[in-house]
Each structure stands twice: as structure tokens, then as C-alpha cells.
Amino acid sequence: MEIDSQDPDVLIVGAGPTGLIMACQLLKLGVRFRIIDKLKDRIHESRAFAIQSRSMEIFQNLGLSAEVIKLARCGVDFAFFINGKKQIEIKLTEFPDFHTPFPSVYFLPQNELERILIQFLEKKGGYIEREKELLLFSQNNKEIEAVIKNKHTETIENIHCAYLIGCDGAHSTVRHKLDLPFEGASYKQSFILADASVSWPFPENKFLLFLNKQGIFAHIPLTKIFSLIILAPRASANEKLSTPTLIDIENIAQRVTKKPIKLTKLIWLVRFHLHHRSVQAYRRERVFLAGDAAHIHSPVGGQGMNTGIQDVSNLAWKLAIVIKNGGPDILLDTYNTERLRIGNILLKTTDRFFYFITTKNFFIAQLRNWLLPKLLALFFSKKNMARHLLRFISQLYIHYHSNQFVYEISKGADSAFKKGPQAGYRAPDAPLNSSTLFSLFSAKPFHLLIFQSKKSTINSAHLKFIENTYIDWIHIHRFTPSLNNKTLFQRYGVTASALYIIRPDGYIGFRLYGHNLSLADNYLRKLFEKTASN
Ligand SMILES: Cc1cc2nc3c(=O)[nH]c(=O)nc-3n(C[C@H](O)[C@H](O)[C@H](O)COP(=O)(O)OP(=O)(O)OC[C@H]3O[C@@H](n4cnc5c(N)ncnc54)[C@H](O)[C@@H]3O)c2cc1C
């Protein structure tokens, strides 16, 4: 069946943070989409609370970071206590040389972030179709047919589209209908989360984590309210869990922190179980999974929501090339290879850490309580170890392996270039005259950075050709060494000439030692090569 012009190219199922970022990205890239959510309204409680640097860079590219910074708490200190005794305190802003405009963890409740994203989307002419639930779908080699229930009118609508993106959370209908196993397990412990104001003898603007044999207590400083997470005593997976009262929480918190605590202005109180699970394929022909629909982990390190944001930022531009330019279908496969690997690494890391922190195994817990203070002292006394921790949580050092769309040509390169950021790594920011490199990145999706030595010459006819061929896609920036861009040359490891192509998600797709434009052109041809109708 031909796709009706009223039908979208992409149907996004789910308007949580993952679906909303997907919608913002597709809107920016000029791809026709519809976004549906079965709920009548957005959420109004905190849930995820940490926005990492890498997500902020994506927000900057979309034009959203200023709004987030206005509302978020940043410059927060993190302190860790065992048996009521402070072990360590670090600044979550001490990102040594990460070359990012956002050297902090930004504390903002998920509901506030969703509000910002929805407002942004609506301002740009997008909107969320609410109370519309995906019931089922089928696909063939030309299209998807999705069956949607309008919960308000109790009617059924069939939507035809080229691609369907399941951003529909942990209980994903899309994943179920694809029959993809969600491998992993549930953690035995139950947690309580409360959004409330707290009175106690600790400062209100610190992220505090307390650990003892009674459990865990975390205080997360948000903007107007404070979020608290408490590890409740062990409950079996099928035990019916009662909802605690504020007094229950105060009691548990007091036992873990060894300090008096008073909670007021309760906004939300919930008890829940956590899980660590993942699918082993993020793509099935025309259907993609992203965010919690594809992977769920413990909140350790505040990675979950941020990982969903990275998933769709990886996918959106690939879909845009295929849909708008007839680009190669195998480009879409790289969404699976690139993101599945990252998802699995994250899952393993957060799982190990979570187990270590929360274990009730007597011997391991004893060892942990004895060993952890020593390890932490060692860890943070060495600056580069703290750096590793911040590298991990910031998500700035996630990188993709080489594939046919991620490679470099570095024959004869000097050591500076070899040490520079490689293809598959995130492009670093650098100061320029009166602005920064990243501030030049929002006008077009791709960026060709041409670093020239004063002596080198560029074939300007060829450059014009590239500019005209990819006029909607690529912004070309030329740099010759000067005092203003000295740091830029250093950060990209350039002492003479080099070319870098930065993808729309901020990763280096291609780099070349030298300035042979034909090699950059070859890369672009492969990426934008028109293939048989998708
Ligand atoms: C206590 C706690 C703390 C956390 N802290 C952090 C943190 O600090 N940092 C972090 O990064 N992450 C954190 N997370 C994880 C984070 O909340 C999730 O990763 C995030 O909400 C996932 O976003 P999503 O858009 O993928 O899915 P969701 O937010 O679950 O959104 C899915 C949407 O799909 C809709 N939907 C579902 N099925 C259908 C259907 N059939 N048809 C139409 N619509 C449908 C739902 O209504 C929902 O709106 C935390 C989680 C918890 C529980």
C-alpha cells in the first residue's frame, strides 16, 4: 500500500523523555512524525533527577540548554557516609579537562524536564496526541500499519508510516509485539521514593548518600522540592508491598543517617522494585526500540533517562538521511550496533555497583563496610580516579567502534593527531574568538571542520561542490592557526592540516590527517548514497 501523504514518516510511541527528544530531533531535521501517548497528561513527579553533561550538549544543540540551566541545580557537592560517618565529599563540577560547556551534573526533576521539552515542541509546531494507545502493529518491506486506540473517543485509528519507534517505557507494547525477550532480573530490594521538603542538620543543597546495615538513604537536592530515596528492608519479589507513611520514612532515614529528620510538604510517595534488563536487538526491520523500552537499570549514577536521550539522538539523524535523502538502509543498522553495545556496558557497570552497595549478603556487606572507606580514600586521593568516576557518569567518553560510517585515515599522522579525538569519539568543544565551537553547531546537522596550516591550499572548486551537494546537511568551517583558535587546534590534535566530520549527535564520523577533500567526499557519498526505495 502507498503511504498516504497525511501519514507520518515516523510514528513515535511514548512521550516520556526518550520520545520527546526523538520528536524534538525529528522536528529539527524536518522529518514528518506523529507522537502518541496513552496518558492524558505528562507526569508530575520527580523520577529521574540527574541530567548529565552529554545530554546537556544535546540540549544545547536543540536550543534547550539555557532553559534547563535556568531551572536546574548545578554546582552540587556529593558526600558519602558509612555508619553515619562522612567518608568523602566531592564537587560534581570538578570535570578536569572534559572540554564541555557543561561541567556539572544538573539536578532537575524529570517532570520539569518533560515540561520544558513539551513547551519547546509546541512552540516549534509539534504536538503530542494524548490518550492514544498503540494496541498492535504489523510491518512489511514497505511500511508499518499501527492500530491505535483513542481512549477519549473509544475509536480505533490505523496509522501507516515508514518507521515506528518504541519509546514506550519499561512495559513497552512495541517490544512485546516484537516478541523480543527482555533479559535480566529484578532486584530483591524494594525502594521508597518521596518528593518532600526535609528538615535535618544537613545542608539542603548537597547530594548525600548514607549507607549502613539498615539500608541506604539518599538525599537529592532538586529545585523547589527535595527527592529522597530510601532502601527499605528486603521484601520478596511477589510480596504485596504496603505504601509507607511519612513517619515510616522518617524512622528508616533516622536509622540509616543517625540524625533526626522531619519531612513536610509531601508531593509524592511511592514504593517500587528496580530491574536490570535489556533486549539484545534494538531494531527489527522498520521498528526500533529506545530508552526504557530497550533497557532498564538501577538509578546508580543517574544514567537511565540520559541513555534514552543518547539512543534517540543516535537514531534520529540516521532516519532523516534515509527518509529525506534515500540514504542506505544499513546506516539504520548502526543504531543497533552502536547503541546496544553501550546499553550492555552501562547495564553491567550499574548492576555491579548497585549489587555492591545494596547487598544484604552478610560477608560481602561486612567486607564492603570495612573496605569501602579505604577504597574511597584511595580513590579520591588520586585525582585521576575521581576523574574516572566523573567520566563515567557524564557520558562524555562513550564512544562507538569503527564501522562503514565511522572511520579515519591517519596514514603518516604525527603523534599529536594520533592522540587527538578519534573517529567514533565525541567531538570536544573549544573556545573561539568570541564564542565556542559548539555554538556553531546548531545551524546544520553535520559539520566539516577544515584545519589548514598557513601554507596548505584547499581545492576550492571541490569544496564548493561539497557545499552545494550537501547544502541542507553540512556546515563547513575553515580554521587557520591564530591566537584565538590555538586551543581548538590542540584539542583536535592538529599541528598542520586535518579534516573532521562531526555527526549531528556530536560524534566524529570521519577524520583525516591532511586535507585531501576527495577522501572526505568519499565518506559523505557513502553516507548519503541513494539506494533503492526504502
Ligand atoms: C527512582 C528512580 C530514579 C531515577 N533516577 C534517574 C536519574 O537520576 N537519571 C536518569 O537518567 N534516569 C533515572 N531514572 C530512570 C528514568 O526515570 C527512566 O529511564 C526514564 O523515565 C525513561 O524514559 P522513557 O521515555 O524511555 O520511558 P518512560 O518515561 O517510561 O515513558 C514511556 C511513555 O510511553 C507511554 N506508553 C507506554 N505504552 C504505550 C502505548 N502502548 N501507547 C502509547 N503510549 C504508551 C507511557 O504512557 C509513557 O508516557 C530513575 C528511575 C527511577 C524509578
Side-chain angles (χ1 to χ4, degrees), residues 412-428:
D414 58 18
S415 65
F417 190 78
K418 283 185 190 148
K419 282 189 207 136
Q422 294 164 24
Y425 281 71
R426 159 194 161 267

Side-chain angles (χ1 to χ4, degrees), residues 86-117:
K86 184 152 77 174
Q87 306 294 325
I88 196 78
E89 179 155 345
I90 53 167
K91 275 210 167 309
L92 291 177
T93 44
E94 285 178 354
F95 289 24
D97 49 1
F98 294 177
H99 311 323
T100 176
F102 306 103
S104 180
V105 178
Y106 298 80
F107 289 86
L108 186 71
Q110 184 175 327
N111 56 319
E112 278 294 290
L113 177 66
E114 289 191 15
R115 191 184 56 72
I116 294 173
L117 297 177

Side-chain angles (χ1 to χ4, degrees), residues 435-453:
S435 62
T436 64
L437 183 66
F438 280 8
S439 65
L440 308 177
F441 276 6
S442 51
K444 289 191 185 176
F446 285 86
H447 299 272
L448 169 58
L449 311 186
I450 302 178
F451 294 91
Q452 282 177 264
S453 67

Side-chain angles (χ1 to χ4, degrees), residues 497-514:
S497 303
L499 304 179
Y500 278 79
I501 295 177
I502 316 298
R503 313 190 316 188
D505 56 357
Y507 285 84
I508 297 162
F510 170 81
R511 73 168 189 155
L512 167 76
Y513 184 70

Side-chain angles (χ1 to χ4, degrees), residues 94-287:
E94 285 178 354
F95 289 24
D97 49 1
F98 294 177
H99 311 323
T100 176
F102 306 103
S104 180
V105 178
Y106 298 80
F107 289 86
L108 186 71
Q110 184 175 327
N111 56 319
E112 278 294 290
L113 177 66
E114 289 191 15
R115 191 184 56 72
I116 294 173
L117 297 177
I118 292 166
Q119 262 177 9
F120 175 83
L121 203 59
E122 289 176 350
K123 223 193 300 173
K124 304 265 172 192
Y127 74 102
I128 300 155
E129 299 175 48
R130 292 218 170 262
E131 290 189 89
K132 291 196 176 176
E133 180 175 7
L134 173 84
L135 297 182
L136 47 105
F137 63 86
S138 59
Q139 60 173 321
N140 57 36
N141 60 4
K142 282 215 158 11
E143 65 159 4
I144 301 264
E145 181 171 358
V147 180
I148 312 296
K149 179 180 176 185
N150 185 322
K151 295 169 80 173
H152 183 66
T153 58
E154 292 285 324
T155 52
I156 297 288
E157 175 187 8
N158 285 9
I159 298 180
H160 297 265
C161 54
Y163 297 98
L164 184 140
I165 323 296
C167 304
D168 49 347
H171 303 287
S172 169
T173 306
V174 178
R175 190 185 65 237
H176 284 298
K177 297 295 167 199
L178 288 174
D179 217 7
L180 282 174
F182 207 27
E183 287 160 14
S186 302
Y187 294 109
K188 287 202 179 93
Q189 299 88 341
S190 75
F191 287 77
I192 303 162
L193 186 149
D195 287 349
S197 289
V198 58
S199 308
W200 64 345
F202 292 103
E204 63 174 47
N205 60 349
K206 292 194 178 186
F207 177 9
L208 304 172
L209 182 63
F210 299 86
L211 178 68
N212 74 3
K213 62 177 183 232
Q214 311 276 347
I216 282 179
F217 176 85
H219 167 263
I220 294 121
L222 297 176
T223 39
K224 301 176 207 118
I225 40 139
F226 305 115
S227 235
L228 317 165
I229 300 181
I230 299 153
L231 178 70
R234 182 191 290 249
S236 78
N238 42 15
E239 186 182 323
K240 182 135 180 20
L241 299 171
S242 59
T243 307
T245 63
L246 268 191
I247 295 182
D248 293 337
I249 296 183
E250 286 170 357
N251 287 340
I252 303 172
Q254 229 151 285
R255 285 205 299 271
V256 180
T257 64
K258 314 264 186 223
K259 295 283 184 224
I261 177 167
K262 186 92 203 114
L263 297 177
T264 51
K265 297 189 197 141
L266 180 72
I267 294 171
W268 190 42
L269 186 56
V270 64
R271 188 197 279 264
F272 57 98
H273 276 288
L274 287 169
H275 317 266
H276 54 112
R277 295 180 186 279
S278 176
V279 289
Q280 284 311 310
Y282 285 13
R283 177 184 188 192
R284 270 286 164 83
E285 287 96 30
R286 294 182 166 273
V287 183

